[in-house]
Amino acid sequence: MKLFFYCILLIFMVNVSCKSKQQTHSNFTKNETTQIIKKLPYLKKGDTVVIISPAGNLFNKKAEIQQAKKLLNGWGLNVVLGKNIFTQNNQFAGTDNERASDFQKALDNPNIKAIWCARGGYGSVRILDKLDYSTFIKHPKWVIGYSDITAFHNQIHNLGFETIHAMMGISLNENCEFLEENATSLKKSLFGNQLYYTIKSSDYNKLGEATGQIVGGNLTLLHTMLGSKTSIKTDGKILFFEEIGEYAYHIDRMLQSLKRAGYFENCNGIIVGDISNVKKNSTHWGTTIEQLILDVVKDYDFPVLFNFPAGHEDINLALILGRTIELKVNKDNSTVLFKK
């Protein structure tokens, strides 16, 4: 009788243990695949925007910054400059502490409604862990930029807030002017007008439709963030990436790393921006960059849109990262709709 009792007790304990493990796994999966991203207050006339340079220096770029101020003033916005925006410390706009100080003051100032990064280059990752977002979380504001600014996009996305992947303060053409398409899309993003893009389809496109939060940025930065707390989750999301000045095998290696890290396992779709100035070396890759990308994701059943005009080419349309989009990749024209 005692043996029978102990057997029943053992079976009960095993069942409880199994149920506990199943519940833990279920909760973990839910947290991994569901992320609430908060929408930020749109700008209105009279709001203040700060321009800072958290990465590369602005040597001989004062005229460009004046044009940036003129653009924002024309939208009815006030503009202030970070204390160290024109500071030079070799290739950086000041020391790590100086650049972090400008960013921190912008995050903490409740009168600042948007932070516009003047340029990328390199240096953002060096100050990521110096920033305190406790005040930002209470009074969030837009952070704008692309390329090296991807580091901040990822960090803020993981905090649960939207950011804007768009032109920067010195993104002017040879006539020292902002292209109308770029400026218009940024203005729409900031002032709450709906973004809707129609893109001529590429023969390489993988047709289909998808819905999900758009995330991503520069491929090198996404690769750099792997294994850190700043690496983003792509489950149920649509991944955007762009790149400049890399060898084809470097691009393949970075994408293979993202694949091994699970970036594509539960991804809903991919938008490929500009892959600019691909370097050549003595080893010929043998296929196009588009085919390289398709080969990496051939095992996954989601749409892939190529040639979205965002990145390091002239046209750099704004993307509200963290916003839910509807992606339709068709044979002739494809569309990207940002939900309100």
Side-chain angles (χ1 to χ4, degrees):
M1 188 67 181
K2 288 184 178 180
L3 179 61
F4 176 75
F5 174 77
Y6 286 131
C7 288
I8 294 298
L9 181 60
L10 179 62
I11 292 173
F12 174 76
M13 292 176 66
V14 169
N15 285 339
V16 170
S17 176
C18 290
K19 288 179 181 179
S20 176
K21 290 179 180 179
Q22 289 172 356
Q23 289 172 355
T24 301
H25 179 268
S26 175
N27 289 337
F28 177 79
T29 303
K30 182 177 180 181
N31 290 335
E32 290 292 293
T33 58
T34 303
Q35 185 176 8
I36 297 175
I37 301 296
K38 296 179 181 178
K39 295 181 179 180
L40 278 65
Y42 293 118
L43 299 191
K44 59 184 183 301
K45 289 185 177 181
D47 282 343
T48 300
V49 177
V50 64
I51 304 177
I52 63 172
S53 189
N57 70 55
L58 298 182
F59 179 69
N60 284 338
K61 297 294 184 182
K62 290 187 177 181
E64 286 83 348
I65 295 302
Q66 288 303 314
Q67 284 294 88
K69 291 179 64 177
K70 181 179 178 180
L71 177 72
L72 296 181
N73 289 155
W75 295 350
L77 300 171
N78 299 318
V79 182
V80 295
L81 302 181
K83 177 182 177 181
N84 298 293
I85 188 169
F86 294 117
T87 303
Q88 294 181 47
N89 178 43
N90 297 318
Q91 71 269 37
F92 304 117
T95 64
D96 291 349
N97 286 337
E98 287 173 330
R99 300 194 320 280
S101 175
D102 277 5
F103 210 120
Q104 190 65 60
K105 289 177 181 176
L107 291 172
D108 292 345
N109 188 337
N111 296 319
I112 299 296
K113 304 303 180 183
I115 302 170
W116 194 13
C117 298
R119 66 159 296 183
Y122 171 68
S124 297
V125 69
R126 294 168 61 103
I127 69 172
L128 278 179
D129 296 330
K130 295 178 178 291
L131 300 177
D132 178 358
Y133 286 92
S134 56
T135 300
F136 168 87
I137 291 171
K138 297 175 183 177
H139 305 284
K141 59 202 68 184
W142 295 102
V143 173
I144 309 156
Y146 73 104
S147 192
D148 198 59
I149 308 307
T150 297
F152 303 113
H153 289 313
N154 284 197
Q155 190 174 58
I156 295 171
H157 179 80
N158 286 346
L159 292 174
F161 296 91
E162 295 179 337
T163 57
I164 299 177
H165 182 284
M167 69 178 194
M168 291 189 276
I170 62 169
S171 299
L172 288 82
N173 61 19
E174 62 274 9
N175 298 319
C176 201
E177 297 174 344
F178 291 100
L179 291 182
E180 183 177 354
E181 298 95 325
N182 300 342
T184 298
S185 66
L186 175 56
K187 184 179 181 181
K188 285 183 175 180
S189 302
L190 288 171
F191 284 87
N193 296 313
Q194 190 169 29
L195 296 179
Y196 179 75
Y197 301 124
T198 300
I199 310 299
K200 184 178 180 180
S201 290
S202 164
D203 291 338
Y204 287 99
N205 281 353
K206 189 174 177 181
L207 306 185
E209 299 183 3
T211 300
Q213 295 169 1
I214 183 170
V215 296
N218 179 261
L219 180 58
T220 293
L221 269 295
L222 295 175
H223 181 257
T224 300
M225 299 297 115
L226 288 178
S228 75
K229 60 185 179 182
T230 318
S231 184
I232 55 174
K233 302 296 183 182
T234 57
D235 290 1
K237 301 174 184 178
I238 295 173
L239 177 65
F240 162 81
F241 62 83
E242 57 83 26
E243 189 52 86
I244 184 172
E246 292 288 349
Y247 292 107
Y249 78 90
H250 282 187
I251 294 172
D252 182 71
R253 180 164 58 194
M254 289 188 288
L255 288 172
Q256 294 291 350
S257 295
L258 295 187
K259 181 178 181 179
R260 296 185 67 242
Y263 260 54
F264 308 127
E265 288 295 329
N266 297 302
C267 185
N268 282 8
I270 290 178
I271 296 177
V272 182
D274 296 314
I275 308 295
S276 308
N277 301 337
V278 178
K279 293 181 180 178
K280 296 181 180 180
N281 62 3
S282 58
T283 303
H284 183 56
W285 182 258
T287 67
T288 64
I289 292 298
E290 290 88 348
Q291 190 58 54
L292 180 161
I293 294 169
L294 289 175
D295 288 344
V296 174
V297 300
K298 64 183 178 181
D299 297 328
Y300 307 103
D301 184 24
F302 48 64
V304 180
L305 173 64
F306 287 98
N307 298 337
F308 188 91
H312 288 79
E313 297 296 332
D314 290 340
I315 306 299
N316 186 11
L317 300 179
L319 302 168
I320 304 176
L321 299 180
R323 180 68 58 90
T324 297
I325 67 169
E326 291 180 354
L327 171 65
K328 295 183 179 180
V329 185
N330 303 315
K331 184 177 180 181
D332 297 320
N333 290 303
S334 300
T335 59
V336 179
L337 170 67
F338 284 74
K339 291 191 173 182
K340 291 284 285 184

